Amino acid sequence: MLTLQTDDVVLGCRAADWRDALDQAARSLVEAGRATPDYRDGLHEREAQSSTYLGNAIAIPHGTPASRDQVLTTGVRVLQFPDGVAWHDGNRVHVLVTIAAQSDEHLDILRALTHVLDRDGVAERLASATSREAVLAELSRAPVSARVDADTLCLNFPARDRFELALAGAARLRQVGCVDGDFVASVVEQEPVALGQGLWLASSDRGVRTPALSLATPEQAFTGPLGPVNGVFCLAGQGDAHRGLLERLAGLLDAGGGEALADADAATVLARLAGETASAETVRVRVLNAHGLHARPAKQLVQVARAQALPVKVRLLEGAAESVSAASLTKVIGLGARRGQTLVLSAEGAGAAEALAEVAAAVRDGLGEKVEPFEERRGVDDVEQAGATVELEPLPADTPHPAVAASPGLAIAPAFVMRLPRFDYPERARDLQGERAGDATTQRGRLERAMHEAIEQLEALIRQAKGGEVAEILSMHEEMLDDPELREAAHEGIADGLSAEAAWWQAVDTAARAQEVLADRLLAERAADLRDVGRRVLGILCGAEMPTPPDAPYILVTEDVGPSDVARLDTGKVRGLLTVRGGATSHSAILARALGIPAVVGAGERVMTLADGTELILDGERGRVIPAPSNERRDRAELRLKEREIREREAHAQRFESALTRDGHRVEVAANLGNTAHAGDAVEHGAEGVGLLRTEFVFMAHAEAPDLETQIGEYRQAIEALDGRPLVARTLDVGGDKPLPYWPLPQEDNPFLGLRGIRLALTRPEILETQLRALLTAAGDRPLRIMFPMVKDIAEFRAARAIFERVQAEVGASDVQLGVMIEIPSCALLAPSLAEEVDFFSIGTNDLTQYTLAIDRGHAELSAQSDGLHPAVLRLIQMTVDAAHAKGKWVGVCGELGSDAQAIPVLLGLGVDELSVSIRQVPMVKARLRELSLDEARRHAEAALAQSTAEAVREALEAL
């Protein structure tokens, strides 16, 4: 192993700047015979890629992989700069640990250096050191921590009193070589001290070779003369090595988690002693990097961890029982994780499962390095036969399985796995038998009859659904069956000799695949609806029937949930939905939210290995499912379910009260609507108005542009339901990404930056005029707020306002305001000029974030970085609010940020006057606002604006 030697240290160096210091380091390696003069270029190239500053006044310059040819022998040179060197990243460096390595032999030194970074005063001592030995002492001294692992535990020991347990723990420490006989004798001589919660402690520093901790628990908890006995800790102390472990133990006791150790297994005990609470989610992932978590992959891990919305911790399963922050580079490198070892990731709170899944995926993908899978063994049995079927690995019991959170809520119930029936049919018509046999004319007749029967089924289901989103989507399915192109494609297949079944499914599958490759995520996910329609007709042709669900409550597990599936469900028995495919915007998610059913989608094929009746915990907020949970986990879930119900009941009971902060500041809480039919529901949930009515639903529901009377009827329905509360309506917002069938648009390379929103509306002013007339007429003397989407500057607003003023002069609605959506950064930057003429601003944080950060919210790899709490977005919000308030105008927020628990105090502190959120979130958002004071919120806003990244913002808010 490579180690630092006194001859490697050079004292008293001086440098004009960091480049000069780097040149001196290169010359030192050359003089020591470690590298050629050309290695200097490698040092500078590596520094150009990213700073090698490590922390505590230490930098670790090293070459690039391409410069390894210039390394003669692996070695390290340590240069001390007493006066310091200003590094190019703004830090000050007193020591350069310059590395010349032919492979990765230097990593042991790097891991040792991470321990230095946690000690106070190191920079000063390195700068003032007058001997090589003093420098090496600072760089090489690694802290000693107490050992606690599965080998030091003694669980379920057949003891009759606490003394026997203390002796069993001491004996276990002796067996693993941490103590000698003197320690055991010392423990025998003392009486264990009560810690509370049935736990006791025996300790000694006699005969200690390695500081360590053991826990001995009885086969069954019992009560002794001095109280209950759930377990005895046996501590082999040495200096301060055990301090951190005892602090975590104290934290566990303070949280009331001591009693849970009585019947816990080794993994649970170690998790609690590592600082992981019972409510924490955990994921295990193996390190695949050839050289373990050295600086580069560790840095990638830290960046991914910092990108999460909540803190992530990590520990080494094979290492010390201590979880460290995954956002700390020094802590992560200090784990010393090597290839094949296992990281235990943990996090708490809403979204923990998704955060852990993303971090774990990054580790499995190699953290920026090319990695090979870790194989326990190699052999002939490991080689799969070509074309052999890969059997899916069943989901492990009592282990969270991450997926996509689609509909909030928590459900505990047995699984009902709805496997699609097998549709057996020959491809060619000539191979059909019995009544299904016949020529092309016969096959076309069979298909027409099946499609007619499918339409009758859909119409019956629509009547059964009695309106709402289920009925709307089923109506869309009926229209799909009337698609002449789909029918023609099937007829062409029949003409080519295919059976009616094969021709129909070929037409459906081809159309669905064409939709799946579309750039627009919403349109792509409509492929599931097309296949749902297709299966209905195919089932009729094949005479197949869908499986019957059980009579008792259950969680539905299936490939995907179509509207026709939902229409057949008894929603009184379905506790939750779990699907193989789908996204947060798929119809399975939309339908689940509409029905108020917790849902997790996109969980992958492995969920279909679940057996009917397997108990599941389905978490629609965190996006995960846990099969066959342990009693402990189930109890926790039931407790969480009850706590959630209590919070929701309290918020619901106060839903009609204003959202007043503790110091009396009022914020209006409104609802976002995609359909006027839900306005009454919004009022019932406590909404003080509608902050965003997406009017495009009226246009998308018709095969041609809706006329004036149709629109008046739709808008009046919402206005009347609001009963005097304000309605904020966004004018038609469509474009190349969500086109209308009667409004053909040219193909655009990037429809998000093309003809959409107000730009598109101004190309057809007659459509915009009709919509404005309908809104104003429907409003009458009731409060109406109209806003234009995708406005980039004052010119576009004025053009749209001219149409509005012409119509308003004719209609004369009495309580109308005209505003704009702040979705484009230019609009926020020009807010002062707009504020002169608009009545209000409504900030659409979803699009504003997307356009500010240049990240598509649907991008598979980048979407996690599309965070509305990014300081750039917050500054645009601040500019908008300041400009509006300077002119006496109000500002609302109608994006997802408005219901983000961390963002609510920031938005309040920035001065936002209104938050518009989904209907079901209204009571909880109001409750959150009532917990805050305006001064407290302003501190949150100031802390957020002072940061440089979204990750830093969330960390700063977490610390408040």
Side-chain angles (χ1 to χ4, degrees):
M1 185 178 77
L2 186 63
T3 58
L4 292 173
Q5 305 295 330
T6 54
D7 290 343
D8 295 324
V9 180
V10 181
L11 299 176
C13 300
R14 301 286 187 276
D17 56 24
W18 67 272
R19 296 180 182 84
D20 183 22
L22 214 55
D23 290 343
Q24 291 183 42
R27 287 196 296 271
S28 181
L29 289 171
V30 173
E31 291 166 2
R34 302 296 189 187
T36 70
D38 290 339
Y39 190 64
R40 170 198 173 278
D41 297 336
L43 294 179
H44 281 272
E45 288 173 10
R46 179 64 182 82
E47 209 66 44
Q49 295 172 4
S50 64
S51 174
T52 59
Y53 179 78
L54 191 61
N56 246 344
I58 302 170
I60 52 166
H62 51 283
T64 62
S67 65
R68 286 181 175 178
D69 292 340
Q70 310 305 322
V71 176
L72 301 177
T73 60
T74 296
V76 177
R77 298 290 282 177
V78 179
L79 279 66
Q80 181 212 37
F81 294 85
D83 297 335
V85 179
W87 214 243
H88 59 87
D89 61 359
N91 291 291
R92 194 155 192 85
V93 172
H94 284 290
V95 168
L96 294 187
V97 181
T98 313
I99 301 165
Q102 293 172 325
S103 57
D104 285 279
E105 303 97 325
H106 63 287
L107 294 179
D108 290 313
I109 289 180
L110 181 58
R111 292 189 181 99
L113 288 176
T114 62
H115 299 295
V116 181
L117 306 182
D118 292 326
R119 298 206 303 268
D120 295 331
V122 169
E124 294 79 7
R125 291 193 294 272
L126 286 173
S128 60
T130 57
S131 69
R132 296 174 174 178
E133 290 76 13
V135 172
L136 286 186
E138 288 295 335
L139 296 180
S140 304
R141 187 175 62 202
V144 178
S145 58
R147 175 183 174 182
V148 57
D149 53 35
D151 292 334
T152 69
L153 302 181
C154 183
L155 307 181
N156 300 314
F157 186 78
R160 292 167 295 181
D161 56 43
R162 64 186 190 280
F163 297 99
E164 289 186 2
L165 288 173
L167 181 58
R172 178 56 57 89
L173 293 180
R174 183 180 182 184
Q175 290 172 358
V176 296
C178 294
V179 301
D180 59 21
D182 285 345
F183 176 85
V184 178
S186 175
V187 169
V188 171
E189 295 168 358
Q190 62 179 279
E191 182 168 327
V193 178
L195 299 177
Q197 299 173 37
L199 296 177
W200 303 75
L201 173 68
S203 64
S204 177
D205 58 3
R206 283 169 44 189
V208 176
R209 296 169 181 166
T210 302
L213 180 72
S214 176
L215 171 64
T217 60
E219 283 184 316
Q220 186 171 359
F222 58 84
T223 300
L226 298 182
V229 178
N230 292 322
V232 176
F233 286 102
C234 189
L235 174 66
Q238 190 180 76
D240 292 333
H242 57 278
R243 182 182 300 275
L245 192 53
L246 289 184
E247 288 175 352
R248 296 196 298 277
L249 177 56
L252 176 66
L253 293 171
D254 288 344
E259 293 182 356
L261 299 181
D263 56 355
D265 56 17
T268 302
V269 170
L270 293 175
R272 300 297 170 268
L273 294 178
E276 297 167 10
T277 68
S279 60
E281 302 299 331
T282 61
V283 169
R284 294 185 180 187
V285 59
R286 174 166 273 160
V287 177
L288 302 177
N289 303 72
H291 301 289
L293 286 187
H294 59 94
R296 287 189 297 277
K299 187 175 182 180
Q300 289 288 323
L301 174 58
V302 168
Q303 289 174 345
V304 175
R306 289 177 179 173
Q308 305 312 310
L310 68 176
V312 177
K313 291 188 174 182
V314 59
R315 64 182 169 94
L316 192 61
L317 184 64
E318 300 86 351
E322 179 182 9
S323 290
V324 300
S325 171
S328 169
L329 180 60
T330 60
K331 296 289 189 182
V332 171
I333 295 177
L335 292 173
R338 301 179 184 275
R339 174 173 165 81
Q341 292 187 311
T342 301
L343 300 179
V344 181
L345 304 169
S346 61
E348 291 187 71
E354 297 95 323
L356 295 182
E358 185 166 340
V359 177
V363 175
R364 283 191 290 269
D365 291 342
L367 297 166
E369 295 186 335
K370 186 176 181 180
V371 295
E372 295 293 333
F374 188 88
E375 298 182 22
E376 297 289 349
R377 60 185 178 87
R378 292 179 181 271
V380 176
D381 292 342
D382 295 322
V383 181
E384 290 187 316
Q385 295 290 332
T389 301
V390 179
E391 186 174 348
L392 292 173
E393 181 182 356
L395 294 179
D398 195 35
T399 302
H401 179 69
V404 178
S407 180
L410 189 68
I412 307 171
F416 166 57
V417 185
M418 189 170 72
R419 296 175 175 85
L420 295 175
R422 183 177 180 83
F423 299 116
D424 289 319
Y425 57 85
E427 182 176 0
R428 310 303 296 182
R430 63 172 178 265
D431 298 324
L432 287 167
Q433 303 292 325
E435 296 179 354
R436 297 158 65 186
D439 58 13
T441 301
T442 302
Q443 299 306 311
R444 280 196 298 272
R446 291 182 60 229
L447 179 59
E448 291 301 319
R449 289 191 295 275
M451 293 178 71
H452 180 72
E453 183 177 341
I455 289 174
E456 290 181 341
Q457 291 179 1
L458 286 169
E459 289 175 346
L461 290 171
I462 291 169
R463 290 191 296 272
Q464 181 181 330
K466 298 178 181 179
E469 294 194 36
V470 173
E472 290 177 12
I473 298 172
L474 288 169
S475 296
M476 184 186 69
H477 280 204
E478 187 177 359
E479 291 181 11
M480 285 181 174
L481 284 177
D482 281 335
D483 185 346
E485 292 188 7
L486 192 64
R487 188 186 304 260
E488 182 61 30
H491 286 176
E492 289 178 0
I494 290 173
D496 290 337
L498 296 180
S499 63
E501 294 88 342
W504 169 249
W505 190 251
Q506 177 179 280
V508 169
D509 191 53
T510 300
R513 289 178 186 274
Q515 284 192 317
E516 285 170 336
V517 300
L518 292 175
D520 180 70
R521 188 170 67 259
L522 287 170
L523 293 177
E525 288 176 347
R526 296 297 83 87
D529 296 287
L530 188 54
R531 287 198 170 93
D532 187 39
V533 171
R535 283 193 296 269
R536 176 177 296 279
V537 175
L538 192 60
I540 295 170
L541 286 168
C542 296
E545 295 183 0
M546 299 298 289
T548 303
D551 293 330
Y554 61 91
I555 290 174
L556 177 63
V557 183
T558 185
E559 293 280 344
D560 202 356
V561 179
S564 52
D565 299 321
V566 173
R568 284 193 298 266
L569 296 178
D570 181 351
T571 54
K573 293 177 181 176
V574 179
R575 294 291 184 265
L577 297 175
L578 174 63
T579 68
V580 173
R581 293 190 295 271
T585 56
S586 63
H587 269 157
S588 53
I590 294 170
L591 293 166
R593 289 193 290 268
L595 296 171
I597 299 174
V600 173
V601 301
E605 296 288 347
R606 292 175 66 192
V607 299
M608 297 304 289
T609 64
L610 290 167
D612 283 340
T614 302
E615 187 174 54
L616 302 177
I617 297 176
L618 184 139
D619 192 331
E621 291 180 351
R622 299 178 180 178
R624 63 167 198 175
V625 63
I626 304 168
S630 63
N631 290 335
E632 180 186 15
R633 191 187 292 273
R634 192 186 197 283
D635 291 343
R636 289 201 309 268
E638 288 183 337
L639 178 61
R640 185 172 153 230
L641 190 58
K642 290 178 182 176
E643 290 174 345
R644 176 186 171 86
E645 290 172 351
I646 292 172
R647 289 198 308 272
E648 289 181 341
R649 278 200 303 270
E650 291 175 348
H652 191 262
Q654 298 176 313
R655 67 192 185 281
F656 296 122
E657 298 178 15
S658 297
L660 292 175
T661 62
R662 296 200 310 271
D663 46 1
H665 180 78
R666 181 174 180 270
V667 177
E668 187 171 295
V669 180
N672 296 333
L673 295 188
N675 192 321
T676 54
H678 299 152
D681 193 25
V683 172
E684 175 57 29
H685 278 77
E688 297 169 283
V690 170
L692 169 64
L693 175 65
R694 303 179 181 94
T695 61
E696 50 270 16
F697 82 94
V698 179
F699 293 81
M700 290 180 170
H702 296 83
E704 56 186 14
D707 60 21
L708 178 63
E709 293 304 319
T710 299
Q711 292 191 57
I712 290 174
E714 289 282 1
Y715 305 143
R716 185 171 284 157
Q717 181 180 4
I719 291 169
E720 290 178 349
L722 289 175
D723 193 24
R725 298 172 182 84
L727 169 71
V728 181
R730 181 181 70 190
T731 58
L732 180 60
D733 185 16
V734 294
D737 58 316
K738 40 184 176 180
L740 295 172
Y742 48 85
W743 198 336
L745 295 173
Q747 182 69 33
E748 295 178 309
D749 291 338
N750 191 340
F752 289 102
L753 300 179
L755 201 59
R756 64 191 300 256
I758 197 63
R759 301 170 186 171
L760 180 61
L762 290 173
T763 67
R764 295 281 297 275
E766 71 280 5
I767 290 181
L768 178 60
E769 180 176 336
T770 300
Q771 181 177 30
L772 292 172
R773 188 178 300 277
L775 284 165
L776 293 168
T777 303
D781 59 355
R782 288 161 295 195
L784 173 66
R785 316 289 178 247
I786 299 173
M787 58 185 179
F788 300 126
M790 292 296 292
V791 173
K792 75 176 189 304
D793 55 30
I794 194 71
E796 287 182 336
F797 172 71
R798 287 171 177 167
R801 184 181 61 185
I803 300 173
F804 164 81
E805 290 176 342
R806 185 170 64 251
V807 176
Q808 170 66 347
E810 299 174 14
V811 178
S814 61
D815 187 0
V816 185
Q817 293 180 4
L818 196 64
V820 298
M821 292 276 291
I822 302 290
E823 300 170 283
I824 302 176
S826 65
C827 199
L829 293 169
L830 296 172
S833 63
L834 282 159
E836 296 277 356
E837 303 186 27
V838 305
D839 295 318
F840 69 94
F841 291 126
S842 183
I843 303 173
T845 54
N846 297 351
D847 275 341
L848 182 61
T849 302
Q850 177 170 252
Y851 290 126
T852 302
L853 304 183
I855 294 176
D856 179 0
R857 287 179 289 121
H859 194 286
E861 297 180 13
L862 299 177
S863 59
Q865 299 178 39
S866 183
D867 191 340
L869 276 177
H870 193 285
V873 179
L874 295 180
R875 289 192 181 278
L876 293 174
I877 295 174
Q878 181 188 38
M879 292 174 64
T880 303
V881 173
D882 290 347
H885 287 181
K887 297 298 179 182
K889 311 297 173 62
W890 64 272
V891 180
V893 166
C894 60
E896 292 176 5
L897 201 65
S899 56
D900 185 321
Q902 276 192 308
I904 289 173
V906 176
L907 295 174
L908 173 62
L910 289 174
V912 170
D913 305 291
E914 178 226 48
L915 297 177
S916 188
V917 300
S918 66
I919 292 174
R920 294 180 181 277
Q921 291 170 328
V922 168
M924 294 298 286
V925 171
K926 280 188 165 184
R928 176 69 175 129
L929 287 165
R930 295 188 194 108
E931 297 170 353
L932 302 166
S933 71
L934 192 56
D935 286 342
E936 178 186 1
R938 285 170 176 158
R939 288 195 297 274
H940 278 71
E942 290 169 2
L945 290 171
Q947 309 307 314
S948 57
T949 65
E951 297 87 346
V953 169
R954 291 197 179 272
E955 288 177 7
L957 296 176
E958 190 74 29
L960 291 176

